[in-house]
Amino acid sequence: MSSVPASGKGLFDLGGQVALVTGAAQGLGSAIAAALGAHGAAVVLADCDAAGCAAAADALRADGVDALPIPCDVADPAAVVRLVDVAAGWRGRIDTLVCNAGVQGPAEPLAETTDADRDHVFGVNLQGAARLANLIVPSVAGRAGGFITGQTLVVDGSTLITD
């Protein structure tokens, strides 16, 4: 897991804020969660890999980050509602949403893919992010703050991580 060097912590302070990162069990999602936590945010890690999600949260907590793992398949509408309910109830708010969860889908020629293949890709990559944003945007907008992104993390005008 990568983390923000101590020298970078002075750029901005996310203390008191809560960030929700999907696809957070490994790779870019894990790095984004670590960067947010290194700057003081409490971090909710969501991923369909329950064990990986828990391990990533354990690693963050070992580094002093307030972290909560919530297993979630963002392609499942009921699971997304539960994710937002549990995440918002944990610290009373969600300030930042990073929609990082994604799947590549089948590698065969388009003519060989099925509706189920395409439904899975769109369910995770598009519909999951849209559902999350629809559930979170009203409370974030009501507080005149917060941030929602795909795979670029920008805080206070500084790009921290981009894909």
Side-chain angles (χ1 to χ4, degrees):
M1 173 180 310
S2 64
S3 63
V4 175
S7 62
K9 291 182 182 180
L11 295 174
F12 49 86
D13 180 18
L14 298 176
Q17 295 191 26
V18 178
L20 168 56
V21 181
T22 65
Q26 62 182 353
L28 184 59
S30 179
I32 291 170
L36 289 163
H39 285 280
V43 183
V44 177
L45 295 91
D47 201 288
C48 63
D49 174 2
C53 190
D58 287 344
L60 288 179
R61 287 193 293 260
D63 287 339
V65 174
D66 191 11
L68 174 70
I70 303 176
C72 178
D73 176 357
V74 297
D76 177 349
V80 169
V81 169
R82 179 186 167 279
L83 169 63
V84 172
D85 287 346
V86 173
W90 179 52
R91 296 289 179 255
R93 61 192 292 159
I94 299 171
D95 300 289
T96 300
L97 170 62
V98 180
C99 296
N100 177 69
V103 295
Q104 179 176 334
E108 63 256 1
L110 185 60
E112 295 176 23
T113 63
T114 66
D115 285 346
D117 294 332
R118 290 183 294 279
D119 288 347
H120 178 67
V121 171
F122 284 118
V124 173
N125 297 359
L126 178 63
Q127 292 173 331
R131 283 186 190 104
L132 279 164
N134 285 338
L135 291 169
I136 293 172
V137 164
S139 66
V140 170
R143 288 192 312 277
F147 194 79
I148 296 175
T149 183
Q151 294 179 327
T152 301
L153 175 60
V154 179
V155 181
D156 294 342
S158 299
T159 301
L160 188 60
I161 296 174
T162 189
D163 182 25

